[in-house]
Amino acid sequence: MFRENQEHLQTSLFNSSHLMDDRIRAKLMKTWAAPFYEHVFSQIDEQPFACLYCADNGRPNFPVNILLSLELIKHLKNYTDEELIDQYHFNYQVSYAVGQRCLGELHLGLRTLYDFRERVYRYALEHPGEEDLIFEHFSILTAHFIQILQLDTKEQRTDSTMIMPNIKWAGRLSLAYDVLTQAAKICPENLLSPEIKAMLEPKYKKELLYRTKSSETKTKLETLLTYCQELLKATTSDPSLYGRAEIQLLKRFLTEQSDFDKTNGQRVPKDNRDISPDALQSAYDPGATYREKGGKKHKGYVANLIETCGEDNPVQLVTDYHLAPNITSDVELFKERLPVLTEGMPVEDVYADGGYYSEETLQLARNNNINLHFTNMTGRKVDSDKLSLADFHIDEENYRVTACPAGHAPFRSGRAKRSGSIMAHFDLAKCRACPDRNRCPVRFQKKSAVLRVTNKALLAARTRKQLEDRERRHEAVSKRAAIEGTNSALKRGYGAAKLAVRTRAKSQTVFGLKVMGHNFSQFVRGLMIRAKQEVQPTTVPLPGGSVCFCS
């Protein structure tokens, strides 16, 4: 049964901090525990978590604000679950941070932690179209941090990075074995052939995976595919069994990794290059995908981050994060997250690398009154000797070209009915006499020189024109570059490079907690910077030219 925790609002008679020496209490207030209690624990709204518990039956829940705070502290301090429990029971800083003023007030067992995580994961799976509970509180805390530090959110930057869940780098032989054994273990013994039963023996795996020569891999893979086909066929007569996730995963594996040979009625392995990047990569994480980026191979997910980058901000905070299969392009990530970002805070400029460039992202940014700045562009290079469409004077609202770079106006201009592009007809004699005729994108026809302008080509030309401005490009590069350090901090400092969980829902939740931990660290640093600025000594001129320093 759900019950909110408001015990921390009532001062305890046996408050340990009141019994401390003043110097020790002052030192405690300067640690991370005091700002954590005030700006994290006290800001948690427990009511959204009521849906995880029964409304009117059962034992009252362990306080949600304590559980969520401990999950955050776990990733903030890189504790194991066992260490986290010990820290909660015996470390007064942790106890203070979660609203308890006496050690040992509440007993917490590992099972309680695991149950809370399971409820959060299950809710995320059952409500895929909604933002998860962790992201909701990430947004609440980030907005609070921004308000306290008075951060400017008008300028932000974005970047993506590869995240690997807790899956192994395995070849097709190992994947086939995992998928087959996972399906075989849920089947009744009468459906298993003697060969499949033998395959479940521990020694079989050792022989198959560690003592198979490279020349034998294809033959053994064909054997496993045959077993997979046999087991799938045996389960079709039982709808309740055939509908199980393990059997459907077996079916997916066969479809993605093999072809059916009608001549002998057997499954044959597909060539590696014929396997799609979104094919199954792990028997234990069906959502993980494969991608090569920057000359490196990745399995798992891609995380997109958006972060403030105002020059006057003492620190920068991540304002949005999102996980998706790693075959998702930066363009798709940006299209999905920008509307979410602009709902919560004012944003005017966003800095991104060339991977985010597309007509759709530029149009989306324009629709949200955002200036999108790129450090580069994707696509083929354009001949620098040619005149750019950005050099033409174009009235987009009225779909007209008003003049060419030489100052000549077309005698007719408008919008083409079929293609929707802007058409302009210039005087043929003037264009032939123009010294830039060989550089101009117009096409000479019998009666006129015609210029066709598509929205996509015009946006690309104007973006290239901006990139040619060295000062603007240098500004975009310098403002975007620091988000690479944020990615590195999350991966190296918080263990986000390879998560300890599998599946997208769990990975999204754990990654979100790590981002919240990073933001809290930045927030504390911001408080320290502000405190130093407030006690900065000021100078007062004295007679005779001397100076007095006053704090």
Side-chain angles (χ1 to χ4, degrees), residues 383-502:
D383 190 347
S384 58
D385 292 334
K386 296 288 185 180
L387 289 176
S388 170
L389 289 177
D391 297 325
F392 286 78
H393 301 278
I394 301 174
D395 181 1
E396 292 180 74
E397 292 185 2
N398 298 309
Y399 300 98
R400 293 178 60 250
V401 177
T402 57
C404 72
H408 302 300
F411 61 82
R412 185 171 76 251
S413 182
R415 187 181 186 185
K417 293 182 179 180
R418 291 185 178 180
S419 63
S421 58
I422 299 173
M423 303 285 290
H425 296 262
F426 292 88
D427 184 271
L428 194 59
K430 290 181 179 179
C431 287
R432 283 178 174 169
C434 180
D436 291 328
R437 64 182 180 275
N438 294 327
R439 301 173 57 225
C440 189
V442 298
R443 295 199 174 185
F444 292 93
Q445 296 184 353
K446 290 183 178 180
K447 298 181 180 180
S448 63
V450 180
L451 178 71
R452 289 182 174 85
V453 182
T454 64
N455 187 51
K456 181 178 180 180
L458 182 59
L459 287 173
R462 287 177 174 172
T463 304
R464 289 192 185 94
K465 198 75 173 178
Q466 291 176 2
L467 291 175
E468 290 174 2
D469 186 333
R470 290 188 176 182
E471 289 187 5
R472 291 187 64 176
R473 185 172 184 178
H474 177 72
E475 180 186 16
V477 170
S478 62
K479 288 193 173 182
R480 194 210 71 87
I483 198 170
E484 302 282 357
T486 303
N487 285 333
S488 179
L490 286 169
K491 287 186 170 183
R492 297 176 184 273
Y494 295 89
K498 184 170 183 179
L499 305 176
V501 295
R502 292 189 285 260

Side-chain angles (χ1 to χ4, degrees), residues 175-176 179 225 249-258 280:
L175 178 60
V179 171
L225 289 173
L249 201 67
L250 181 69
K251 182 180 178 181
R252 174 187 169 185
F253 172 77
L254 282 172
T255 304
E256 294 174 343
Q257 297 275 345
S258 67
L280 186 69

Side-chain angles (χ1 to χ4, degrees), residues 182-372:
Q182 189 172 253
K185 287 177 181 178
I186 67 164
C187 294
E189 285 194 13
N190 62 305
L191 291 182
L192 304 180
S193 66
E195 291 81 8
I196 295 179
K197 288 180 181 178
M199 186 198 66
L200 295 175
E201 297 292 331
K203 63 179 182 179
Y204 185 93
K205 181 178 181 179
K206 187 176 181 180
E207 291 289 334
L208 176 72
L209 302 182
Y210 305 112
R211 295 182 180 176
T212 297
K213 297 179 181 179
S214 56
S215 58
E216 301 173 340
T217 300
K218 184 177 180 181
T219 305
K220 292 198 174 184
L221 181 57
E222 290 175 348
T223 302
L224 289 181
L225 289 173
T226 301
Y227 293 163
C228 289
Q229 182 68 22
E230 289 177 2
L231 187 59
L232 183 64
K233 186 176 180 180
T235 59
T236 53
S237 58
D238 187 346
S240 61
L241 184 61
Y242 187 74
R244 292 280 296 271
E246 294 85 352
I247 303 300
Q248 290 302 306
L249 201 67
L250 181 69
K251 182 180 178 181
R252 174 187 169 185
F253 172 77
L254 282 172
T255 304
E256 294 174 343
Q257 297 275 345
S258 67
D259 292 315
F260 186 73
D261 189 349
K262 295 181 179 179
T263 57
N264 56 15
Q266 298 293 326
R267 287 277 178 178
V268 293
K270 287 184 178 180
D271 192 87
N272 286 341
R273 60 187 176 185
D274 295 329
I275 299 174
S276 173
D278 63 352
L280 186 69
Q281 300 297 319
S282 170
Y284 308 101
D285 192 343
T289 51
Y290 174 84
R291 182 178 178 182
E292 291 188 22
K293 184 179 181 181
K296 296 182 179 180
K297 299 176 180 179
H298 304 274
K299 284 186 180 183
Y301 302 96
V302 58
N304 190 76
L305 297 178
I306 303 179
E307 180 184 57
T308 61
C309 62
E311 292 183 0
D312 296 330
N313 292 342
V315 294
Q316 310 298 345
L317 297 180
V318 175
T319 55
D320 184 78
Y321 69 90
H322 181 63
L323 245 67
N326 67 11
I327 57 172
T328 308
S329 68
D330 290 344
V331 170
E332 292 300 319
L333 291 168
F334 186 80
K335 286 166 60 179
E336 183 175 353
R337 300 313 300 176
L338 186 63
V340 178
L341 178 70
T342 52
E343 286 180 2
M345 62 192 71
V347 183
E348 295 180 0
D349 295 272
V350 175
Y351 298 86
D353 61 26
Y356 289 86
Y357 172 79
S358 77
E359 179 186 0
E360 292 85 356
T361 53
L362 282 168
Q363 194 61 51
L364 178 64
R366 180 182 297 179
N367 294 342
N368 285 275
N369 299 315
I370 290 175
N371 299 313
L372 194 52

